[in-house]
């Protein structure tokens, strides 16, 4: 389940809770009569109380909707910013970074070779060439793109540091 799906479910549950709470508050705060006039007629309930409850509920829903909309916009901006930012990933010798299609990699420190079953393993976007065979050494400070899901790199130095943008797993 993706972050966006989880967030959508959380927002839906929160809206439902706000709705139920609003109805409960509206019912609890309305007075259906007084000590001087304890008799409540059906027309009073239909014309006065029902309208008051609906107005209070509409107001509560509008307020909650505005707050949740602002929260959702902020969370989506955070998610998008997080997905678009490069992350520093450190690998030890022998560890592999397996990526989804479109993931970008830049070797900063150490050494690594291409891995994967499908060719081209990577595209070196810095010089516009394809890395077609598994075991090809990566060049430091070159930007690589994974074109086929499941391809990636394997660290060959004790400490290898990469900048990575996209989805990956370390194995």
């Amino acid at each position: 389940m993706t972050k966006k799906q989880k967030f959508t479910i959380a927002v839906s549950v929160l809206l439902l809770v706000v709705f139920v709470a609003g109805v409960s508050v509206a019912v609890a705060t309305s007075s259906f009569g007084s000590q001087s006039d304890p008799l409540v007629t059906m027309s009073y309930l239909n014309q006065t109380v029902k309208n008051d409850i609906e107005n209070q509920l509409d107001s509560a829903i509008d307020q909650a909707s505005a707050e949740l909309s602002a929260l959702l916009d902020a969370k989506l901006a955070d998610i998008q910013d997080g997905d678009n930012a490069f992350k520093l990933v450190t690998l030890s010798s022998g560890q592999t970074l397996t990526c989804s299609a479109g993931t970008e990699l830049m070797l900063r420190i150490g050494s690594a070779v291409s891995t994967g079953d499908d060719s081209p393993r990577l595209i070196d976007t810095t010089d516009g060439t394809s890395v077609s065979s598994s075991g090809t050494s990566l060049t430091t400070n070159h930007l690589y793109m994974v074109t086929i899901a499941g391809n990636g790199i394997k660290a060959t130095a004790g400490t290898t540091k990469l900048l990575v943008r996209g989805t990956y797993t370390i194995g």
Side-chain angles (χ1 to χ4, degrees), residues 158-169:
T159 300
T160 299
K161 294 185 183 263
L162 305 138
L163 293 176
V164 181
R165 178 169 44 195
T167 307
Y168 62 88
T169 58

Side-chain angles (χ1 to χ4, degrees), residues 1-11 13 79 167:
M1 187 177 294
T2 66
K3 288 181 184 178
K4 288 181 183 178
Q5 289 172 329
K6 287 180 183 177
F7 187 73
T8 301
I9 290 170
V11 168
V13 169
I79 290 169
T167 307

Side-chain angles (χ1 to χ4, degrees), residues 23-140:
V23 169
S24 300
V25 168
V27 169
T29 58
S30 63
S31 59
F32 293 108
S34 67
Q35 287 183 344
S36 63
D37 185 17
L39 184 61
V40 178
T41 64
M42 184 60 111
S43 63
Y44 174 76
L45 290 175
N46 286 335
Q47 295 171 2
T48 305
V49 175
K50 179 181 172 188
N51 289 338
D52 287 348
I53 290 172
E54 287 176 349
N55 290 338
Q56 290 174 6
L57 187 58
D58 287 344
S59 176
I61 289 173
D62 290 343
Q63 181 181 355
S65 177
E67 291 171 3
L68 288 174
S69 180
L71 181 62
L72 177 61
D73 290 343
K75 289 293 182 183
L76 287 175
D78 287 346
I79 290 169
Q80 290 171 346
D81 288 344
D83 288 344
N84 289 328
F86 278 95
K87 294 180 181 107
L88 179 64
V89 176
T90 302
L91 301 175
S92 298
S93 182
Q95 283 187 305
T96 58
L97 187 80
T98 305
C99 305
S100 64
T103 299
E104 296 173 291
L105 314 163
M106 181 182 288
L107 178 63
R108 295 290 295 137
I109 296 171
S111 59
V113 295
S114 62
T115 62
D117 296 327
D118 296 317
S119 184
R121 298 328 184 257
L122 306 169
I123 300 295
D124 184 341
T125 61
T126 303
D127 64 14
T129 60
S130 294
V131 178
S132 298
S133 60
S134 190
T136 302
S137 293
L138 274 62
T139 304
T140 305

